[in-house]
Amino acid sequence: MTSGIYLTWITMALAGGVILIPLFKPPWAKVNLRAFNDMFRRYWLHILLVFSIYFWKDTFDSLDRIFMANTQLEMTGFVYALEGDMVLWVQQFFEAEWLTISLTHFYVSGYLMVVYISIVYFCYFNDRHMADRISLTVFFIYVLSVPFYLFFNVRVTGDHIPAMETLAYDLTPEINDWFERIDPFTNGMPSLHIGIPFGVWLCLVRWDEDNRWMKYRRFIFGYIIVTAFAIVYLGIHWFVDIIGGMFVAAVAIKLTQRYNTAVWAVLDERTLNARLATIVTRPQRVKWWITTRSQRLWKSLRHPSSHVTGWTIIMVFLLTTSVIVWDMTHRDLPVTGVQAPAEAVAADGWLINLDDRGDEGIVLVVVKLATPDELKVIRHPELTLNSSYDVAGNLVVVSNQTELWVQDLSNLAAEPKVIEVNSPSFVKLAETGLGESIVVLVESGNLRGITPEGDSIIMPKPPISAAKVVNIAVDENKLAVIYEDNTTLVRLGQVGVHGFVDFWLNSTAAPEEDATLASWGYVVDIENATVVDLEINGQWLVATVNVTATDRLILLDIETGESRLLADPKYPAHDPSVGFGVVAWASQWHLNPIQPSEQFVDHEIWYFDLSRNLTEHLTEDLIDQRNPQVSEDHIVWQVVEDGKVIATKVHRRDVELQPYSSTALQLATLILIPLVCFHIWKGNREAFEKASTSNSEHSHQSNVSA
């Protein structure tokens, strides 16, 4: 799905680049349409090298979202400790609506234009000397930035400083949607908006020997100054990010100077076709080339130079880092031994799965989350896939239409306690005010509380005698109940107490958000909103509320009575769960029902960290994932295919390397110790031999002169 505003920005960038060609061309150059055809024929690899960055950026941005969600590896606090509120002062001093609008469009469209014309101009006017160096420099800048984006995450200033606004991101709902799709908001250091143009400017300063590109060099310098102000003013980058951008550009220039000749000796389009023809027509020549190169490689490995050992050290680092990144982004493990999972409940370190085992019938599979490969099975007569059950502490309860079983998970060999019930629609484990376990049932729309021994417990009375319960959530002795008389009102009560306290869930969104839904043919109806799901934990209650057009996620602070939207109000949110400082849910983020994209049709798992006030992706793929549940050390969810649950996955919330990652780190350490030692010795030895040779030649020349 391509955003209309993005198409506008691209059009502006392309048009601007074409219009400016006569202004920036070398003095003697001519402008004609034929040169465009020659440009693509002569420089297609240069263009491909630079624009491959956009492909890799999407890949690494997705990886970074998952890496951040799994590790919380963030350096924003250190940057803020260094800078304080300097960026905020800039924004507050200059803030004006006209400036915000202008700089937002400049920030995106101007950057797109500078990136593409900084390679296209030199290719169009057949300046291979500059095209080689600038395209390679831009590529190196991005390569050098990737480690920062993965391991030195710095959030945008508007996400960290409370009074700072992300002016560009929040200019309009459409712009906000586009930024949320393409930007993880954690790639602040270094700023590519500074790094790439600064690298281009350095290339021109260093290698534009006859000043043919003087006008363009001055233009790029002016662009850098305006961009530096824009990215600070708009609430995106820190001042340190600007320094980081200039730093990677300077390093990229050094790398280009060193490797430019070697790279383009291989990738030069003028000789590449000839080499491809040789592969097809002269296989013996290819065989000879492979043989000689292999012999040369073997010789260099048998007698490695410091250059070879240096690259070997880099490769060890890259391979080890790749293993760790893979581990940190693939931490959700499937629960084994569950043949056909249907529903799941997780709490207090336990996961309970309803499992359809065919001839064996429906059983409960009990999994201790700390050891997910160890399973226990509870067989209850006459269970169905619609049976109600719950788990809390060391107790699990499961019910059919007539009997409720209470089973002690710490002693599965013991017989369960059996209580007569009447077709309960909800079964929940709760506590009395003294911490004693009880079972809360909803039978024929009425609340009923009983102890595991079957004794009755006082429950809150309905607001209207005939009102029926349509939904319920429990946490210890607290009950959150939805009655049919008002399906947007949450009644909060306690076990053993008769009354309720009412909380209204505010599902109202900004008019612009509702207007977007209306443009898709979906009308928001707040008056007839209905709570679909709700969960409660401590002072927090989270619910999804259907407003006809979509399901919205609402977070309620029970202590203050304030509620707020937690996710984008345009897109469906389902299956909320809250606990241990985290809210988790399944979302079809950025799903446009008029133009549904495969990328957004499936549900992804999101979570909100209440202490950090930050939302993170936990999954980002093409797999439909539902029913997330938060426990103390894990988040559990189910994988759905064709409407059926096919697997249950367990994700550890704490950062812990898998054994294979630990082994990789240990091996890398053992390898690097002798390798680094040899590299240092070899480098000094080569320097000594070079100095000795130089002294010998100098002595010889002195003797000849004498």
Side-chain angles (χ1 to χ4, degrees):
M1 180 176 63
T2 303
S3 171
I5 189 64
Y6 184 52
L7 291 176
T8 302
W9 284 330
I10 290 178
T11 303
M12 291 169 60
L14 292 173
V18 172
I19 292 171
L20 293 174
I21 287 178
L23 178 63
F24 296 134
K25 70 180 183 65
W28 59 85
K30 302 294 183 181
V31 179
N32 57 73
L33 292 176
R34 182 181 175 183
F36 283 104
N37 180 57
D38 292 339
M39 174 186 72
F40 289 109
R41 178 173 53 84
R42 294 169 177 167
Y43 293 97
W44 62 272
L45 264 178
H46 289 69
I47 297 170
L48 184 64
L49 181 69
V50 171
F51 286 94
S52 67
I53 290 174
Y54 289 97
F55 168 77
W56 291 111
K57 185 181 186 306
D58 285 343
T59 302
F60 280 108
D61 281 352
S62 297
L63 194 66
D64 183 47
R65 287 187 179 102
I66 308 303
F67 192 83
M68 269 292 294
N70 289 339
T71 64
Q72 287 86 52
L73 187 63
E74 187 178 337
M75 303 299 173
T76 317
F78 295 102
V79 175
Y80 182 70
L82 177 66
E83 289 195 19
D85 291 332
M86 289 194 299
V87 291
L88 176 61
W89 301 338
V90 172
Q91 186 180 84
Q92 291 179 336
F93 183 80
F94 290 100
E95 187 171 358
E97 184 178 1
W98 69 268
L99 187 60
T100 300
I101 295 172
S102 302
L103 289 182
T104 297
H105 296 298
F106 171 83
Y107 171 74
V108 181
S109 188
Y111 176 69
L112 292 173
M113 185 184 76
V114 164
V115 170
Y116 103 81
I117 67 176
S118 290
I119 178 63
V120 167
Y121 278 9
F122 306 103
C123 297
Y124 176 82
F125 290 109
N126 199 24
D127 188 345
R128 188 169 292 272
H129 178 75
M130 292 305 304
D132 287 354
R133 287 157 177 79
I134 287 181
S135 56
L136 196 57
T137 297
V138 171
F139 180 77
F140 278 142
I141 288 171
Y142 185 72
V143 170
L144 291 169
S145 300
V146 168
F148 287 93
Y149 293 156
L150 286 177
F151 304 111
F152 198 90
N153 285 278
V154 176
R155 291 191 176 274
V156 298
T157 54
D159 262 3
H160 189 80
I161 301 175
M164 193 89 182
E165 296 182 57
T166 47
L167 296 176
Y169 296 164
D170 299 329
L171 186 61
T172 68
E174 184 182 10
I175 289 176
N176 179 266
D177 284 350
W178 182 78
F179 275 116
E180 284 189 350
R181 282 200 302 273
I182 62 99
D183 195 338
F185 301 153
T186 57
N187 289 351
M189 165 68 79
S191 167
L192 289 183
H193 276 72
I194 295 297
I196 289 178
F198 190 70
V200 172
W201 182 76
L202 288 178
C203 283
L204 292 169
V205 169
R206 186 161 194 153
W207 289 300
D208 183 22
E209 297 165 355
D210 57 3
N211 288 327
R212 68 178 67 180
W213 297 104
M214 175 67 75
K215 292 181 180 179
Y216 188 61
R217 183 164 76 237
R218 290 171 177 169
F219 166 77
I220 287 291
F221 186 76
Y223 170 84
I224 293 169
I225 293 174
V226 177
T227 299
F229 171 75
I231 60 180
V232 170
Y233 167 79
L234 292 172
I236 299 172
H237 281 286
W238 306 81
F239 286 109
V240 172
D241 300 341
I242 297 173
I243 298 172
M246 293 190 292
F247 171 76
V248 295
V251 175
I253 289 289
K254 294 289 186 182
L255 292 174
T256 297
Q257 182 181 15
R258 181 166 185 174
Y259 294 107
N260 178 71
T261 302
V263 169
W264 295 115
V266 176
L267 298 182
D268 192 322
E269 295 90 346
R270 294 171 297 182
T271 59
L272 186 61
N273 290 337
R275 289 197 294 272
L276 292 174
T278 300
I279 293 174
V280 176
T281 60
R282 301 177 64 186
Q284 292 300 321
R285 175 75 176 176
V286 176
K287 182 180 178 181
W288 170 84
W289 185 88
I290 293 174
T291 302
T292 55
R293 290 286 176 171
S294 299
Q295 291 172 348
R296 188 183 303 175
L297 176 62
W298 174 245
K299 183 179 179 180
S300 68
L301 293 176
R302 289 182 61 190
H303 306 285
S305 63
S306 61
H307 181 75
V308 172
T309 55
W311 274 106
T312 305
I313 291 170
I314 292 173
M315 290 303 299
V316 171
F317 271 113
L318 288 176
L319 289 172
T320 307
T321 302
S322 299
V323 171
I324 294 172
V325 170
W326 174 269
D327 185 8
M328 290 294 100
T329 54
H330 294 77
R331 302 182 63 223
D332 44 288
L333 302 175
V335 176
T336 58
V338 182
Q339 298 176 10
E343 295 290 340
V345 173
D348 298 327
W350 295 99
L351 170 66
I352 310 297
N353 250 115
L354 265 182
D355 188 17
D356 185 355
R357 297 202 166 182
D359 294 339
E360 294 183 47
I362 310 296
V363 300
L364 276 184
V365 177
V366 180
V367 180
K368 197 170 183 63
L369 291 173
T371 54
D373 292 333
E374 300 177 11
L375 307 179
K376 299 177 181 179
V377 177
I378 299 176
R379 288 179 169 82
H380 185 296
E382 301 180 13
L383 281 183
T384 69
L385 293 178
N386 295 320
S387 295
S388 300
Y389 60 99
D390 197 14
V391 61
N394 282 327
L395 291 183
V396 60
V397 291
V398 57
S399 171
N400 58 21
Q401 297 300 303
T402 59
E403 288 184 347
L404 174 79
W405 281 17
V406 182
Q407 183 77 57
D408 186 349
L409 293 174
S410 63
N411 186 15
L412 286 176
E415 289 294 320
K417 297 175 182 178
V418 181
I419 302 171
E420 290 186 3
V421 294
N422 181 21
S423 303
S425 54
F426 292 93
V427 174
K428 301 288 184 180
L429 276 167
E431 295 179 359
T432 66
L434 300 175
E436 298 171 346
S437 296
I438 69 162
V439 182
V440 177
L441 306 169
V442 177
E443 297 173 317
S444 302
N446 299 312
L447 282 177
R448 177 189 174 195
I450 52 177
T451 67
E453 289 73 28
D455 299 327
S456 296
I457 297 292
I458 294 174
M459 301 296 287
K461 294 182 178 180
I464 302 173
S465 59
K468 302 299 183 183
V469 175
V470 295
N471 214 328
I472 183 173
V474 305
D475 175 50
E476 297 179 344
N477 69 328
K478 293 189 290 292
L479 308 174
V481 185
I482 307 296
Y483 281 95
E484 63 183 1
D485 66 308
N486 191 331
T487 53
T488 314
L489 201 64
V490 176
R491 268 79 181 227
L492 192 67
Q494 290 185 340
V495 174
V497 178
H498 285 292
F500 281 110
V501 178
D502 294 346
F503 291 90
W504 180 66
L505 298 181
N506 183 9
S507 55
T508 305
E512 296 87 354
E513 307 285 10
D514 291 348
T516 300
L517 285 167
S519 70
W520 295 342
Y522 294 89
V523 178
V524 174
D525 185 358
I526 298 295
E527 292 184 2
N528 295 304
T530 301
V531 174
V532 179
D533 282 311
L534 75 162
E535 291 290 335
I536 184 173
N537 182 266
Q539 76 178 85
W540 302 105
L541 182 143
V542 62
T544 50
V545 179
N546 179 266
V547 292
T548 304
T550 188
D551 288 354
R552 289 176 172 170
L553 186 68
I554 313 294
L555 180 67
L556 170 69
D557 186 337
I558 296 170
E559 294 182 356
T560 64
E562 296 178 356
S563 63
R564 64 183 175 109
L565 293 167
L566 198 57
D568 193 307
K570 297 188 299 298
Y571 305 116
H574 303 119
D575 313 326
S577 177
V578 60
F580 304 96
V582 170
V583 178
W585 68 96
S587 175
Q588 291 173 293
W589 71 304
H590 296 298
L591 175 63
N592 182 340
I594 297 177
Q595 298 175 322
S597 168
E598 183 183 7
Q599 181 182 359
F600 304 121
V601 170
D602 63 297
H603 288 79
E604 302 294 352
I605 305 301
W606 290 65
Y607 77 82
F608 177 78
D609 190 317
L610 291 162
S611 62
R612 297 162 61 218
N613 195 36
L614 290 174
T615 302
E616 302 279 10
H617 273 80
L618 200 53
T619 65
E620 187 171 357
D621 47 40
L622 299 179
I623 301 171
D624 199 24
Q625 290 150 122
R626 298 293 302 268
N627 194 30
Q629 298 186 53
V630 180
S631 67
E632 185 173 6
D633 299 316
H634 303 82
I635 296 178
V636 178
W637 65 85
Q638 294 181 309
V639 179
V640 179
E641 187 176 287
D642 297 328
K644 294 183 179 180
V645 178
I646 61 171
T648 301
K649 290 197 172 183
V650 178
H651 172 85
R652 288 190 64 89
R653 291 176 58 194
D654 58 337
V655 180
E656 181 178 335
L657 292 177
Q658 292 293 322
Y660 67 84
S661 290
S662 299
T663 302
L665 277 174
Q666 292 163 2
L667 286 174
T669 303
L670 293 175
I671 292 171
L672 284 172
I673 291 174
L675 196 57
V676 170
C677 182
F678 181 81
H679 173 72
I680 295 171
W681 171 81
K682 191 66 176 178
N684 282 277
R685 185 67 183 174
E686 289 172 356
F688 171 77
E689 291 172 353
K690 184 177 180 180
S692 298
T693 302
S694 177
N695 291 335
S696 298
E697 291 177 353
H698 180 72
S699 299
H700 177 70
Q701 290 175 358
S702 298
N703 292 334
V704 171
S705 299

